[in-house]
Amino acid sequence: MTLATRTNGFARSMIRRAALAVAAIATLSAASVQLGAQEARLLAIQDDATRSMVRDFIEAARARGTPTEPLVSRALEGVAFRATAKRIEQAMVALEERIGRSRELLAPRATVDELAAAADALANGVPASAIRDLRKIAPYRQITVEIGVLTELVAKGVAPKKAAVMVRDLMARGATGTQLTELNAAVQQDVAFGVTPVAALELRGRGVMSLLSPSASVNAAIRP
Amino acid sequence: MASCHSSPRLPPSTLLSDRRTSPHSAVLRVTALILVTAPGAEALQVRHENRIESGVARIEQPGTRARSALILGGLRQHSEPTLATVLAGNVTWARDSVAALQLIAGIAWRPSALSRWQLEGGGSAAAFELSDIGRQGNGSGWLRVRRRFAAHYGLFGGVAAGNTVRAATSTNSLAGDVGVWATAGAFDVEAEFGRARTQDSLLMAASRVFTRRPTGWLDMDDVALTVSWSEGSLDASVTQRWRTSLRGTPVEQAALQASVTWALTPNVAVVVSGGRQLADPVRGAPDATMMLALVRWSFSSTDTAARMPEAAAAVTRLAEGSNLKVRIRAPISARVEVAGSFSGWDPIPLTREGGYWVAEVHVAPGRHRVAYRIDGGPWRAPTQLAKLREFGGEVGLLIVP
């Protein structure tokens, strides 16, 4: 091994370490900024007891490895709704449980947005198996919109299994988030006009389906 | 139509008394003022409203001296997104101690909240004198269909029939109308063509309208144009009506009415109205020129957030994220706010735009929870969004691709 080779190897090693250090500092800085922002938002809670309860809960959740942003948002929602501290705490406990369950369903990886969307889905009657199926179809990209559309359909009165099958089939054939959102809006409009939710989903789902390639492979299309 | 029973903005109009000051001149006196808005398109946007109105009026009929009157009226209105009902009553005392009583009930129905069709119907009963209830008065009913073609314009058509009894004589009246309405910014415009026929020659003679036909039926055509304006705490409207001859009933009349409502507080408003109304044979209301001043108390402030179910949230897609536009129909005096996960649940006040309260905020792609409230009341989900229940209220789920 020549001196020049050794010098190049040392330089590469130093560059790698420096890059890791910069990345670590950036991550810590971002986390620090997020913490600061969360703390500032918690200061908006005027009731001391509620603010203290929420702060303690958030710190404990962070220590448990739970993403805290959805919890902060739910706490602020409770404050806006003038809920009692006890009621807000119950909501946060339930949400953390659902986030934990969502993490299992969306394994191996999930973003905070996906976890929050899946937690909402579970709370509104979307079957756990449906969330797991969506992740299987698209393991390499965010499926927040897909989970959200499924939740909206169920919340509007479409039978959970029916909605799950339709969203899953559309995803499997390459439907984009925008197409699913438009499908959801069309179904909601039909329901408002008096069409039954199931009939509206059938009709609109077929319309979107006709625009998609029958052999589209989602995994191939979305693999990074 | 001579009657405007189901118009969404009924101007205060009159009932008549059978006090003939002379058997030859057949002058009829106004004794009751109707303070009721029939359930039209507006009614479906108000869930609960209890209202009391009180004031004074100065009334003059053709061939008579001007008279003063005291008015007391009440209204209870209840609406769901597809059904609205209204029940109202009023009593009027004139300076010559004549009093009258009127009751009105109405209903409006849509097949669904976003339906373009609306069916309205109702009826009214009136006694021309409190001391003579059941022997002199008027009963009428109406049916109307509305069709909205877009958010800003639509058509309507309807029929009405009434029976009036005075001096032991019963007379019938019929009317039908078609019209178009449109909204542009702060302005609403409504144009209407109506045709009416009546046996009530006494009422029409008091309005200087006679017939040459041996059957005794009087026929006439009406054209009316109403322009309304709403901005801030002020509402104003002007109606011009023209009446022309039909089938041997020579008549050329025109009447202008104007009304201004000023909301002093969320619960108190002042109404000033003036002008001429043409005789309405379906309701037995005579030709009269009047000036009216009322104070209106609304007792719906504790539930004002529930008053306006027509709260729409529309999303406009941008290159990055989207703009969420929330549009809510609420009283001009209301304080309307929207909040959501995108604002950290910090309420964002809406601003008045045309007849609506509007806010436009940028939202990032993803999932958001959004709600609105009126006058600090309970939070509600905008109509089109899926509703999620939490903390005893509701939020709308918004998905931005």
Side-chain angles (χ1 to χ4, degrees):
Chain A
M1 186 181 288
T2 65
L3 179 63
T5 310
R6 239 184 258 166
T7 306
N8 282 347
F10 177 73
R12 271 199 297 272
S13 168
M14 287 303 290
I15 289 170
R16 198 178 300 125
R17 285 180 190 174
L20 284 172
V22 168
I25 290 168
T27 306
L28 286 172
S29 300
S32 168
V33 167
Q34 192 189 8
L35 284 178
Q38 281 186 357
E39 180 58 29
R41 288 160 66 198
L42 294 183
L43 288 175
I45 303 175
Q46 297 193 344
D47 179 59
D48 291 341
T50 304
R51 187 174 59 247
S52 174
M53 180 278 294
V54 172
R55 189 181 282 141
D56 292 349
F57 191 97
I58 296 294
E59 283 176 7
R62 188 177 294 122
R64 289 189 290 268
T66 304
T68 54
E69 183 52 36
L71 296 171
V72 171
S73 186
R74 189 58 51 87
L76 293 173
E77 185 180 323
V79 171
F81 277 61
R82 299 188 192 116
T84 61
K86 185 175 175 57
R87 182 70 192 84
I88 291 172
E89 187 176 19
Q90 287 170 346
M92 292 170 78
V93 167
L95 179 58
E96 190 182 8
E97 283 175 7
R98 288 195 295 268
I99 288 174
R101 178 83 178 113
S102 300
R103 202 197 293 268
E104 293 169 16
L105 298 169
L106 293 169
R109 64 178 70 84
T111 65
V112 174
D113 271 354
E114 285 177 316
L115 291 174
D120 265 352
L122 291 173
N124 285 279
V126 172
S129 58
I131 296 170
R132 191 183 289 120
D133 287 349
L134 298 189
R135 171 51 86 216
K136 278 182 191 163
I137 293 170
Y140 301 108
R141 68 166 166 92
Q142 274 223 43
I143 54 170
T144 307
V145 169
E146 288 79 355
I147 297 171
V149 167
L150 179 53
T151 309
E152 280 202 67
L153 290 171
V154 172
K156 275 286 180 182
V158 179
K161 282 188 180 170
K162 186 87 183 167
V165 168
M166 182 61 79
V167 172
R168 190 192 63 200
D169 289 353
L170 287 168
M171 273 182 76
R173 291 178 67 167
T176 63
T178 302
Q179 283 174 316
L180 286 170
T181 309
E182 285 169 357
L183 161 79
N184 177 49
V187 168
Q188 294 191 3
Q189 190 173 353
D190 290 348
V191 170
F193 271 91
V195 181
T196 64
V198 170
L201 182 62
E202 285 278 355
L203 181 72
R204 299 294 183 171
R206 266 191 238 128
V208 176
M209 204 78 86
S210 67
L211 301 173
L212 304 172
S213 161
S215 58
S217 165
V218 174
N219 286 344
I222 62 178
R223 189 183 277 282
Chain B
M1 180 169 11
S3 160
C4 39
H5 275 290
S6 51
S7 169
R9 285 190 179 80
L10 269 185
S13 54
T14 59
L15 282 179
L16 62 102
S17 160
D18 189 23
R19 291 211 148 197
R20 296 170 55 182
T21 53
S22 156
H24 304 292
S25 60
V27 173
L28 305 170
R29 287 198 173 184
V30 175
T31 58
L33 294 158
I34 301 169
L35 309 172
V36 171
T37 301
E42 297 288 319
L44 283 177
Q45 296 152 7
V46 180
R47 279 189 179 162
H48 304 287
E49 185 168 12
N50 297 309
R51 188 196 292 171
I52 289 179
E53 295 172 318
S54 180
V56 293
R58 188 80 177 158
I59 304 154
E60 186 174 5
Q61 292 176 251
T64 68
R65 289 192 327 170
R67 300 158 60 243
S68 301
L70 289 173
I71 306 146
L72 178 63
L75 175 145
R76 177 169 177 75
Q77 194 161 277
H78 175 84
S79 287
E80 295 295 334
T82 59
L83 186 71
T85 57
V86 64
L87 187 63
N90 61 74
V91 185
T92 300
W93 290 271
R95 196 178 56 185
D96 56 3
S97 300
V98 175
L101 172 71
Q102 184 187 35
L103 297 172
I104 291 183
I107 190 167
W109 174 78
R110 296 178 189 180
S112 67
L114 295 181
S115 173
R116 292 169 182 267
W117 291 96
Q118 180 168 310
L119 184 64
E120 302 166 359
S124 70
F128 296 154
E129 292 191 39
L130 289 179
S131 60
D132 207 12
I133 290 177
R135 278 189 284 179
Q136 299 194 83
N138 170 274
S140 66
W142 74 91
L143 198 61
R144 172 169 283 193
V145 176
R146 289 178 184 273
R147 171 76 161 90
R148 180 169 55 86
F149 288 97
H152 302 298
Y153 68 95
L155 296 175
F156 61 85
V159 293
N163 175 265
T164 301
V165 177
R166 66 168 66 86
T169 304
S170 172
T171 58
N172 295 316
S173 301
L174 302 167
D177 74 347
V178 291
V180 58
W181 60 267
T183 300
F187 289 92
D188 289 341
V189 181
E190 186 174 297
E192 172 190 352
F193 169 77
R195 181 162 283 189
R197 69 179 335 211
T198 179
Q199 296 173 312
D200 197 345
S201 55
L202 194 62
L203 172 75
M204 300 314 293
S207 309
R208 304 290 189 260
V209 179
F210 305 93
T211 183
R212 293 192 290 263
R213 299 173 67 199
T215 61
W217 282 93
L218 294 95
D219 296 271
M220 63 210 86
D221 281 340
D222 277 4
V223 173
L225 180 67
T226 301
V227 179
S228 305
W229 170 82
S230 174
E231 194 69 62
S233 58
L234 285 175
D235 274 330
S237 79
V238 177
T239 299
Q240 174 69 48
R241 186 175 289 273
W242 297 270
R243 176 162 290 172
T244 56
S245 307
L246 184 67
R247 295 198 199 105
T249 305
V251 51
E252 293 295 334
Q253 292 180 330
L256 180 70
Q257 277 188 304
S259 172
V260 176
T261 303
W262 181 25
L264 303 174
T265 74
N267 301 97
V268 180
V270 173
V271 182
V272 178
S273 175
R276 180 188 179 191
Q277 69 159 30
L278 299 180
D280 180 348
V282 171
R283 289 183 297 169
D287 187 344
T289 301
M290 68 179 74
M291 193 70 200
L292 173 73
L294 294 170
V295 178
R296 175 180 295 166
W297 292 272
S298 172
F299 299 96
S300 48
S301 59
T302 54
D303 195 19
T304 46
R307 281 195 291 176
M308 301 291 165
E310 193 189 317
V315 177
T316 313
R317 274 207 301 279
L318 304 174
E320 241 178 71
S322 294
N323 269 4
L324 166 68
K325 187 165 189 176
V326 179
R327 195 176 78 150
I328 293 168
R329 186 125 188 166
I332 51 179
S333 56
R335 179 168 52 89
V336 187
E337 295 165 311
V338 64
S341 45
F342 50 82
S343 71
W345 287 99
D346 201 13
I348 300 167
L350 275 67
T351 55
R352 191 77 175 168
E353 218 175 80
Y356 292 88
W357 290 94
V358 175
E360 193 161 356
V361 290
H362 184 73
V363 288
R367 147 208 158 279
H368 303 275
R369 293 157 73 97
V370 57
Y372 73 95
R373 68 179 177 185
I374 300 174
D375 289 338
W379 291 97
R380 306 266 168 182
T383 312
Q384 297 98 323
L385 302 183
K387 293 178 178 59
L388 309 180
R389 310 239 168 241
E390 192 81 74
F391 301 118
E394 61 185 29
V395 296
L397 183 61
L398 178 70
I399 305 299
V400 179

